[in-house]
């Protein structure tokens, strides 16, 4: 909501918190629907950031879903591997080549 970006609340805007919130939601949803323990199978779908969350969610909470589709999800970004820089450079190359020109792009 409107208070998410207040300094005291920013600490909750993490990948770990997003997954924990979704785990709580899945549990609540199943309980609300009266699903048995092995009922209401859940498959996760996501693209880009949502895809990364879907894939990581399967690793952290494998008991809450039966599968995940992670489209265009750069999930192998780990500290010290320098893949973030390569991804950023590729993104900026594409933007510089195809972005701009009145399409919402500008100088970077």
């Amino acid at each position: 909501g409107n208070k998410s970006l207040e300094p005291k609340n920013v600490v909750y805007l993490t990948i770990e918190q997003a997954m924990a919130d979704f785990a709580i939601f899945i549990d609540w949803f199943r309980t609300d629907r009266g699903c048995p323990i092995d009922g209401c199978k859940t498959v996760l779908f996501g693209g880009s950031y949502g895809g990364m969350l879907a894939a990581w969610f399967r690793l952290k909470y494998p008991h809450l879903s039966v599968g995940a589709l992670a489209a265009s999800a750069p999930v192998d970004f780990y500290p010290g591997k320098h893949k973030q820089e390569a991804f950023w450079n590729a993104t900026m190359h594409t933007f510089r080549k195809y972005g701009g020109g009145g399409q919402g792009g500008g100088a970077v």
Side-chain angles (χ1 to χ4, degrees):
N2 293 338
K3 296 186 179 197
S4 293
L5 296 178
E6 289 182 3
K8 66 179 182 177
N9 296 326
V10 171
V11 297
Y12 299 110
L13 300 177
T14 65
I15 291 168
E16 294 81 5
Q17 187 65 52
M19 290 190 300
D21 290 346
F22 193 50
I24 290 168
F25 171 78
I26 290 173
D27 188 50
W28 169 84
F29 187 80
R30 288 177 176 169
T31 301
D32 185 64
R33 299 290 183 247
C35 296
I37 295 289
D38 62 345
C40 296
K41 306 254 188 262
T42 303
V43 178
L44 311 169
F45 292 86
S48 191
Y49 174 69
M52 292 187 299
L53 288 176
W56 290 330
F57 190 89
R58 284 287 300 147
L59 292 172
K60 186 158 180 84
Y61 302 98
H63 61 288
L64 293 177
S65 62
V66 295
L69 183 126
S72 299
V75 295
D76 62 344
F77 283 3
Y78 300 105
K81 300 290 184 183
H82 306 290
K83 291 184 179 187
Q84 295 91 335
E85 183 178 350
F87 182 77
W88 174 254
N89 290 340
T91 302
M92 290 310 300
H93 168 76
T94 303
F95 176 79
R96 287 185 183 109
K97 186 171 181 177
Y98 301 105
Q103 302 299 316
V108 176

